Amino acid sequence: RMIMKESKTIGVLIPDITNPFFSELIRGIENILYKENFITMLCNADLDQEKEDTYLRELTRRGVDGFIIASSAISNESINATLKANGHPFIVLDQKKAEGISDAIITDDYTGGQLAAQHLKELGHEQIAIAMPKNAPANIQKRLSGVRSIYGEEQIDLVDAELSKTGGRAAVPAVLKTTATAIFAINDEIALGLYLGLSEAGKKIPADYSVIGYDNIDMCEYMVPQLTTIAQPIFELGQITAKMLLERIENPSKDWEERMLPVNLIERFSTAHLN
Ligand code: RIB
């Protein structure tokens, strides 16, 4: 079959290599690319815009066949200047917002936020804290919109937290100042940090605070108590992303495609009924 160039290499740009969400995503991507005799070239951006731009330019210069972009630090300006202008195929997902300029794959973040909120509501929690970054990427903002369709503004305490374990741990003092009885960690990494911070403060999960996460990374089952979370189909997300990009490489002029994958609630032991 016809492939535009011969490097048989796909560049993948992610924001944080230490987060298991992205390792699992890459496993899914690599699973398909390997079968199709492509090499996966991984670039970790560490949320650094300059690094992102350099990677984009360098990968282009080296004749990479296509790009998978999961990081919001890549601006549309550099995409337009480096990729679009030169007709390089790419697909965006996760933290990189789909804006009708390429193929895109998303997961149902709005429903994910709703499911998390509904679960806490059914357990009798009337005041909840949400640990998330102030300037969160669009996919994460949608989770918040989902919660807002279930809880009123006055029932929600927004607590600023970076998307990392450190961020979760550091958010605990702010959580303790609220009257919340449950915490929605906008990703599982934050939940991991909350576990440590809450235990350092002498608080028990779920007796003192119910905690629900987001992503369903494999670590959730190894936490004590095992973490209730919203599962994204992470491996499959990677697989479908790779497939869509390869289809684009084969057929550059077809219409843009946007796909959405479902999420679901996984009930474990970190959430409980309010007594
Ligand atoms: O854990 C990383 C988070 O950032 C995930 O929720 C993923 O969807 C990304 O947005």
Side-chain angles (χ1 to χ4, degrees):
R1 62 175 138 179
M2 275 289 295
I3 298 290
M4 269 170 63
K5 281 183 191 142
E6 294 300 318
S7 79
K8 289 282 213 172
T9 306
I10 299 295
V12 181
L13 294 110
I14 56 156
D16 177 9
I17 200 170
T18 68
N19 182 338
F21 172 88
F22 292 103
S23 350
E24 183 71 2
L25 182 74
I26 290 157
R27 241 172 41 83
I29 292 172
E30 192 260 356
N31 170 268
I32 296 299
L33 294 184
Y34 178 77
K35 282 188 205 144
E36 301 294 328
N37 297 314
F38 277 79
I39 293 287
T40 306
M41 192 179 277
L42 180 64
C43 298
N44 174 53
D46 277 332
L47 303 169
D48 176 341
Q49 174 132 22
E50 196 179 312
K51 211 170 162 191
E52 300 262 358
D53 285 343
T54 310
Y55 274 140
L56 216 51
R57 275 198 316 276
E58 272 307 301
L59 290 174
T60 315
R61 205 175 59 78
R62 288 166 203 221
V64 159
D65 292 304
F67 295 80
I68 293 173
I69 302 173
S71 170
S72 60
I74 300 254
S75 67
N76 287 350
E77 290 75 52
S78 40
I79 286 182
N80 283 329
T82 318
L83 302 184
K84 287 227 104 157
N86 303 302
H88 294 299
F90 67 98
I91 181 164
V92 302
L93 75 154
D94 200 59
Q95 296 187 11
K96 182 63 191 159
K97 192 177 179 201
E99 287 174 299
I101 57 166
S102 69
D103 294 308
I105 176 158
I106 57 179
T107 59
D108 194 349
D109 288 288
Y110 183 83
T111 301
Q114 274 190 323
L115 289 173
Q118 244 152 26
H119 176 63
L120 297 178
K121 188 127 216 189
E122 277 164 21
L123 292 173
H125 297 279
E126 287 301 323
Q127 193 69 33
I128 64 166
I130 305 179
M132 64 179 279
K134 276 210 179 83
N135 299 312
N139 64 327
I140 285 176
Q141 299 282 358
K142 276 195 225 146
R143 296 172 198 168
L144 177 58
S145 312
V147 175
R148 286 185 166 141
S149 73
I150 308 284
Y151 280 101
E153 220 31 57
E154 67 295 342
Q155 296 178 288
I156 302 173
D157 290 296
L158 279 184
V159 171
D160 189 23
E162 258 179 46
L163 290 171
S164 65
K165 295 188 277 291
T166 329
R169 186 186 188 184
V172 166
V175 170
L176 296 178
K177 284 192 198 123
T178 70
T179 56
T181 55
I183 315 169
F184 178 20
I186 219 74
N187 75 354
D188 291 341
E189 284 273 284
I190 291 180
L192 272 161
L194 289 173
Y195 267 50
L196 178 58
L198 287 172
S199 119
E200 285 168 337
K203 302 294 181 195
K204 297 260 176 299
I205 304 168
D208 298 316
Y209 290 96
S210 280
V211 176
I212 182 168
Y214 203 103
D215 284 348
N216 198 32
I217 55 176
D218 58 358
M219 220 85 89
C220 296
E221 284 194 313
Y222 297 84
M223 296 165 70
V224 184
Q226 293 182 325
L227 184 69
T228 296
T229 195
I230 304 297
Q232 302 202 62
I234 311 175
F235 185 77
E236 192 191 357
L237 178 65
Q239 286 183 309
I240 296 174
T241 305
K243 280 188 196 152
M244 282 171 73
L245 179 63
L246 294 183
E247 281 163 21
R248 171 63 54 195
I249 292 172
E250 283 202 16
N251 189 356
S253 58
K254 71 185 175 86
D255 289 344
W256 296 133
E257 202 184 324
E258 179 164 323
R259 285 194 54 181
M260 180 156 83
L261 302 185
V263 298
N264 63 289
L265 170 71
I266 310 272
E267 276 190 66
R268 295 199 181 95
F269 302 102
S270 62
T271 46
H273 207 278
L274 186 67
N275 298 306

